[in-house]
């Protein structure tokens, strides 16, 4: 029976290139899980095992690894830093109890680290800070500590100080124990000596130690009183206070080092064990009502003897089959158990269970509360589904995923690829909830939707390489619509006399603009049987069937009211089909007279930017025909809300990063349709006519 107080479920997250993956590699090396460390820049790291990751040197999927340190079991998740993959960070934070925020010693607090920090604050996850790459040119530990205070609005508690700078960085001083750890030039993490603190650092050390002690004792009134009276707290008491403050997010213990040069990582591992919470010490996950999604007031208490409650937080397809990553919150899971998926109401049998070493795996026969494991070959489980004991059904708080903002059309190059593409896309959608697919009914093309241009770029790359599907990729598209602006009263007669029975139908009607979002409405006010009642549905059907193909550029028509008020019929030649044909002719005849107009989708855009770039961002949105609705200042920057036409937003993220030196971010969702300006409408109509030739 494992002791839960010896478990640590942690994530490592940071901006692109701050050194998360390298830090994870060092942790594995120090804990004896790997004997040769692979480097990211050689494309050989353990956790970046996708081809696309090795090539681009970035992490795309979160990878999970299990290792041991000082008799504690660490489940470590390495998450991506790139903005298009924040969904991976978000869902990892959901199942972790603590984290290590890695910051680059020269780059400092970068925009993506701000986003991840914001996510972690929302998820209330305790964190340590590791300022990495102190061997780099321009690295400055104290500068990064200031940025953590000012940019993130967080309280860093300095636990180690660097000895030397840039090329002369040789080790760190442990502030709490007043000891210096100095590494030799062999580059091996275990080759260090514990020495006395260098004489020129003693004053600095004492100043930081005093600050550390003062911050720590605030967590315990008795200790604080004793300290005020001049009594020095013991190391054990200080550690207990630091642990409590870290768990309550009062401050974040801050360490320094160089993961690449193997310096300073041991102290971070010690801190994970000493200060980050065990599964039993964090607030348990709330249970929700499956119908409304509202909290029920109950929680999933971490207890191996309670009924099973677990969350599937990630699905991955690899060479061994589909893997479902699961965090067990309470109870036990054994091989061969039957469990209930409360989202689908279906039961599944647990086949192979394993603990992951990135892409290697160790088979398990049972797992329990606090564990993060992978199960092979589950059928109907998706990200965010709750797995529970069939006798005790429950639903854990679900995950919320952002809506995709950009779409491209793809079509397979040959017939053989069509089926392959269908199967591959099915697997990819299950793995990544922020990636969506639909089929365009007009063109029959497959539309891929994602979080950004890099996101879709990598999806197309995976389709081509991993699944061998050759694709034609189109340009990003906008869905326009049409409507009318004036009321028209008109009459149309359909007559056909050529041997046999003829066709006759005459209708008098009014067409006028409808209420916004009303679609198509039809009414009849015919009196005295001039158009018999049985033919009214045919007239309605005729008009409605033409709504999908507008008169300007063939886009669907919105918000039109048609009223049939008179007409005439022929006792022999009138029929439902004749009235339907008459209505179609009437649509073609009258719509151009009714002031047809093109509509474009307007997006609600939410931009996040540092304060010094607000003017540039607003100016740029105005140039994109945007209407600024609101701006709010926060601790780390300003949020600007605006309505902007979708056609003006392509390539926006790249442009936003340029004008905010990489720190801006945005999200957008559909707001409403609105009239196109004349110059834009002319271009769209001309292009549509060109395409339809």
């Amino acid at each position: 029976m494992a002791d839960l107080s010896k478990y640590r479920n942690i994530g490592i997250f940071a901006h692109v290139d701050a050194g998360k993956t390298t830090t994870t590699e060092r942790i594995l090396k120090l804990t004896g899980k790997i004997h040769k460390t692979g480097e990211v820049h050689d494309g050989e790291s353990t956790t970046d095992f996708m081809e696309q990751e090795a090539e681009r040197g970035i992490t795309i999927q979160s990878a999970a690894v299990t290792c041991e340190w000082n008799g504690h079991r660490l489940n470590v998740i390495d998450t991506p830093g790139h903005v298009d993959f924040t969904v991976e960070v978000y869902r990892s934070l959901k199942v972790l109890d603590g984290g290590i925020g890695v910051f680059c010693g020269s780059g400092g607090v970068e925009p993506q680290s701000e986003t991840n920090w914001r996510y972690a604050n929302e998820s209330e996850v305790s964190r340590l800070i590791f300022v990495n790459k102190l061997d780099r040119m321009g690295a400055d530990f104290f500068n990064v500590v200031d940025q953590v205070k000012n940019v993130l609005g967080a309280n860093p508690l300095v636990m180690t100080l660097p000895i030397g700078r840039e090329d002369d960085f040789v080790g760190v001083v442990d502030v709490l124990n007043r000891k210096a750890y100095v590494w030799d030039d062999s580059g091996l993490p275990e080759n260090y000596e514990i020495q006395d603190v260098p004489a020129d650092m003693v004053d600095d050390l004492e100043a930081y130690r005093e600050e550390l002690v003062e911050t720590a004792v605030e967590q315990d009134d008795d200790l604080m009183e004793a300290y005020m009276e001049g009594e020095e707290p013991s190391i054990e008491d200080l550690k207990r206070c630091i642990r409590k403050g870290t768990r309550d997010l009062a401050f974040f213990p801050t360490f320094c080092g160089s993961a690449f040069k193997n310096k300073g990582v041991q102290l971070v591992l010690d801190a994970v064990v000493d200060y980050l919470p065990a599964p039993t010490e964090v607030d348990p996950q709330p249970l929700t009502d499956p119908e409304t999604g509202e909290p029920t007031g109950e929680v999933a208490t971490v207890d191996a003897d309670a009924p099973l409650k677990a969350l599937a937080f990630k699905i991955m397809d690899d060479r061994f089959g589909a893997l479902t990553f699961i965090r067990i919150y309470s109870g036990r899971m054994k091989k061969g158990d039957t469990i209930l998926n409360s989202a689908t109401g279906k039961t599944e049998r647990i086949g192979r269970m394993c603990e992951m070493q990135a892409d290697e795996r160790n088979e398990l026969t049972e797992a329990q509360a606090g564990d993060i494991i992978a199960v092979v070959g589950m059928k109907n489980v998706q990200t965010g589904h709750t797995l529970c004991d069939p006798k005790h059904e429950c639903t854990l708080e679900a995950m919320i995923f952002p809506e995709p903002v950009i779409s491209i059309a793809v079509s397979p190059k040959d017939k053989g690829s069509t089926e392959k593409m269908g199967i591959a896309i099915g697997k990819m959608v299950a793995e990544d909830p922020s990636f969506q697919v639909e089929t365009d009914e007009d063109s029959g093309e497959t539309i891929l939707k994602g979080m950004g241009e890099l996101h879709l770029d990598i999806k197309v790359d995976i389709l081509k390489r991993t699944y061998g599907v050759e694709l034609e990729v189109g340009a990003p598209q906008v869905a326009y619509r049409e409507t009318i602006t004036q009321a028209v009263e008109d009459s149309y007669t359909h007559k056909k006399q050529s041997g046999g029975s003829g066709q006759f139908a005459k209708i008098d009607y009014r067409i006028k603009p409808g209420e916004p979002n009303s679609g198509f409405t039809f009414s009849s006010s015919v009196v005295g049987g001039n158009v018999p009642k049985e033919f009214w549905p045919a007239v309605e059907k005729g008009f409605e069937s033409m709504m999908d193909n507008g008169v300007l550029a063939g886009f669907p028509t919105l918000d039109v009211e048609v009223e049939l008020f008179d007409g005439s019929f022929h006792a022999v030649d009138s029929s439902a089909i004749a009235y339907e044909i008459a209505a179609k002719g009437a649509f073609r005849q009258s719509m151009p007279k009714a002031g047809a107009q093109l509509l474009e989708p307007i997006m609600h855009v939410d931009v996040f930017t540092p304060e010094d770039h607000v003017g540039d961002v607003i100016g740029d949105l105005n140039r994109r025909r945007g209407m600024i609705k609101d701006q709010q200042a926060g601790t780390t920057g300003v949020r600007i809300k605006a309505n902007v036409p979708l056609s003006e937003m392509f390539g926006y993220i790249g442009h936003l990063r340029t004008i905010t030196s990489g720190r801006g971010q945005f999200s957008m969702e559909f707001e409403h349709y609105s009239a196109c300006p004349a110059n834009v409408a002319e271009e769209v109509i001309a292009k549509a006519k060109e395409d339809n030739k």
Side-chain angles (χ1 to χ4, degrees):
M1 174 67 209
D3 174 2
L4 280 177
S5 67
K6 297 271 199 285
Y7 273 57
R8 298 288 181 274
N9 291 318
I10 60 167
I12 296 187
F13 46 87
H15 190 77
V16 178
D17 267 355
K20 299 174 297 301
T21 302
T22 308
T23 306
T24 309
E25 283 291 305
R26 296 307 180 262
I27 289 175
L28 295 182
K29 173 82 169 70
L30 283 170
T31 54
K33 280 296 179 185
I34 50 176
H35 299 295
K36 169 188 173 295
T37 47
E39 298 307 344
V40 177
H41 49 250
D42 299 333
E44 288 181 351
S45 65
T46 312
T47 50
D48 283 359
F49 49 83
M50 287 169 62
E51 274 179 62
Q52 287 79 6
E53 294 181 306
E55 257 176 46
R56 296 174 192 238
I58 61 174
T59 304
I60 295 169
Q61 297 188 334
S62 326
V65 206
T66 304
C67 53
E68 301 228 337
W69 182 256
N70 286 358
H72 288 65
R73 176 192 171 107
L74 312 183
N75 290 317
V76 185
I77 295 187
D78 174 27
T79 65
H82 201 287
V83 63
D84 287 0
F85 307 103
T86 33
V87 58
E88 288 281 342
V89 180
Y90 174 79
R91 61 174 162 190
S92 304
L93 280 168
K94 181 92 181 122
V95 298
L96 295 171
D97 306 325
I100 303 174
V102 180
F103 296 99
C104 170
S106 54
V109 175
E110 294 165 288
Q112 195 55 43
S113 27
E114 287 178 39
T115 311
N116 294 343
W117 197 263
R118 213 163 58 226
Y119 278 152
N121 284 342
E122 285 164 16
S123 305
E124 296 183 351
V125 171
S126 306
R127 277 147 285 169
L128 306 175
I129 292 173
F130 178 51
V131 179
N132 188 21
K133 299 195 178 184
L134 287 184
D135 55 312
R136 290 269 292 262
M137 283 292 290
D140 182 340
F141 173 66
F142 302 101
N143 183 27
V144 180
V145 170
D146 284 346
Q147 287 190 342
V148 169
K149 287 180 190 158
N150 302 328
V151 180
L152 298 178
N155 184 9
L157 184 68
V158 175
M159 304 292 291
T160 59
L161 299 172
I163 305 174
R165 292 182 63 158
E166 299 178 359
D167 287 347
D168 303 326
F169 174 68
V170 292
V172 299
V173 170
D174 175 351
V175 176
L176 192 61
N177 295 304
R178 297 190 173 94
K179 291 277 185 251
Y181 288 70
V182 178
W183 279 263
D184 65 16
D185 292 337
S186 66
L188 293 170
E190 47 277 11
N191 288 9
Y192 64 89
E193 281 181 11
I194 297 184
Q195 304 173 352
D196 289 336
V197 176
D200 61 347
M201 288 184 68
V202 172
D203 293 350
D204 275 357
L205 165 70
E206 289 309 321
Y208 274 101
R209 194 170 192 280
E210 192 177 324
E211 199 179 302
L212 188 150
V213 174
E214 283 173 5
T215 310
V217 294
E218 284 174 8
Q219 300 295 319
D220 182 323
D221 294 345
D222 296 346
L223 271 184
M224 190 158 167
E225 227 165 276
Y227 178 68
M228 294 300 217
E229 286 165 14
E231 198 179 311
E232 177 74 6
S234 70
I235 299 280
E236 271 55 54
D237 280 341
L238 284 172
K239 280 189 166 180
R240 185 175 50 94
C241 288
I242 296 170
R243 185 179 181 90
K244 177 176 183 296
T246 306
R247 194 191 70 207
D248 297 343
L249 309 187
F251 46 74
F252 303 93
T254 301
F255 295 81
C256 60
S258 161
F260 180 54
K261 295 275 169 68
N262 285 313
K263 293 171 183 167
V265 180
Q266 285 94 328
L267 286 93
V268 177
L269 281 171
D270 289 343
V272 166
V273 168
D274 288 343
Y275 307 128
L276 286 180
T280 46
E281 294 173 304
V282 292
D283 292 341
Q285 281 285 321
L287 298 180
T288 56
D289 181 311
E291 298 299 314
T292 61
E294 293 298 313
T296 56
E298 293 177 60
V299 292
T301 312
V302 179
D303 176 0
D305 299 320
L308 174 72
K309 297 180 185 67
L311 185 74
F313 67 97
K314 182 176 166 59
I315 290 165
M316 206 167 88
D317 209 65
D318 73 357
R319 58 182 190 273
F320 308 106
L323 281 176
T324 306
F325 282 88
I326 294 171
R327 163 78 198 258
I328 303 176
Y329 286 108
S330 67
R332 290 191 172 79
M333 197 186 264
K334 294 194 182 68
K335 200 172 164 172
D337 279 358
T338 298
I339 56 164
L340 173 71
N341 175 348
S342 66
T344 60
K346 296 190 171 124
T347 54
E348 298 226 15
R349 197 163 166 279
I350 299 287
R352 287 169 52 209
M353 287 169 27
C354 46
E355 96 185 356
M356 296 298 289
Q357 243 59 62
D359 61 345
E360 306 265 309
R361 45 181 75 177
N362 305 331
E363 297 275 333
L364 300 172
T365 50
E366 82 163 293
Q368 58 155 21
D371 279 333
I372 292 180
I373 57 158
V375 177
V376 184
M378 296 190 97
K379 300 280 184 300
N380 299 311
V381 177
Q382 286 177 354
T383 301
H385 283 181
T386 300
L387 307 174
C388 55
D389 180 333
K391 294 191 205 63
H392 300 92
E393 187 174 343
C394 66
T395 305
L396 287 157
E397 189 176 49
M399 300 182 172
I400 305 152
F401 296 110
E403 284 298 309
V405 294
I406 178 169
S407 66
I408 50 171
V410 296
S411 52
K413 280 191 178 159
D414 50 53
K415 283 279 190 291
S417 294
T418 310
E419 191 176 325
K420 248 183 9 191
M421 180 174 89
I423 294 167
I425 285 179
K427 287 183 179 172
M428 287 161 67
V429 171
E431 284 180 19
D432 180 355
S434 62
F435 174 59
Q436 296 177 8
V437 178
E438 57 187 50
T439 305
D440 183 328
E441 285 155 18
D442 303 342
S443 63
E445 286 177 314
T446 302
I447 310 288
L448 307 184
K449 298 178 162 188
M451 297 310 299
E453 291 163 77
L454 175 74
H455 192 198
L456 290 180
D457 187 23
I458 286 187
K459 295 299 181 201
V460 170
D461 200 37
I462 292 174
L463 278 170
K464 284 183 179 166
R465 275 201 282 177
T466 313
Y467 296 105
V469 181
E470 280 305 310
L471 293 174
E472 300 276 356
V473 181
Q477 291 304 322
V478 179
Y480 291 98
R481 294 287 182 264
E482 297 183 17
T483 191
I484 54 171
T485 53
Q486 296 154 15
V488 174
E489 193 171 298
D490 214 343
S491 170
Y492 188 88
T493 307
H494 169 63
K495 254 206 281 216
K496 190 176 168 215
Q497 241 56 53
S498 57
S501 66
Q503 287 183 351
F504 176 83
K506 175 173 183 285
I507 53 175
D508 297 339
Y509 53 89
R510 296 184 189 96
I511 293 180
K512 64 177 184 187
E515 291 294 312
N517 302 326
S518 62
F520 170 73
T521 47
F522 176 80
S523 60
S524 170
S525 55
V526 179
V527 289
N530 289 351
V531 177
K533 223 177 188 146
E534 66 263 28
F535 297 142
W536 294 356
V539 177
E540 179 175 0
K541 185 178 166 199
F543 276 112
E544 191 165 8
S545 66
M546 299 296 284
M547 292 285 292
D548 282 342
N549 219 337
V551 291
L552 283 176
F555 293 109
T557 308
L558 300 179
D559 308 337
V560 175
E561 280 184 31
V562 176
E563 181 196 353
L564 175 69
F565 67 88
D566 206 357
S568 56
F569 78 109
H570 184 282
V572 178
D573 291 347
S574 286
S575 63
I577 195 92
Y579 277 102
E580 193 178 320
I581 293 168
K584 288 180 177 176
F587 183 93
R588 278 192 293 268
Q589 169 183 298
S590 303
M591 286 303 268
K593 301 176 189 172
Q597 185 182 51
L598 201 63
L599 300 175
E600 60 181 351
I602 303 292
M603 309 302 282
H604 172 72
V605 179
D606 195 339
V607 186
F608 181 82
T609 167
E611 264 175 49
D612 36 351
H613 299 293
V614 172
D616 298 343
V617 170
I618 289 180
D620 181 60
L621 287 170
N622 287 332
R623 276 194 296 283
R624 293 172 189 271
R625 302 193 280 125
M627 293 269 300
I628 309 295
K629 293 285 186 198
D630 185 23
Q631 56 191 85
Q632 301 161 345
T635 44
T636 60
V638 179
R639 289 180 71 169
I640 300 164
K641 298 186 176 181
N643 286 351
V644 191
L646 175 62
S647 59
E648 303 286 344
M649 291 299 291
F650 290 125
Y652 181 63
I653 188 66
H655 190 73
L656 178 66
R657 285 186 192 143
T658 309
I659 59 178
T660 59
S661 48
R663 296 170 59 189
Q665 284 155 347
F666 85 107
S667 63
M668 68 176 180
E669 55 192 358
F670 173 72
E671 176 88 10
H672 59 261
Y673 275 101
S674 163
C676 257
N679 58 337
V680 177
E682 280 163 22
E683 274 177 40
V684 174
I685 292 166
K687 186 176 179 306
K689 288 192 170 140
E690 188 61 35
D691 291 348
N692 292 335
K693 273 185 182 167

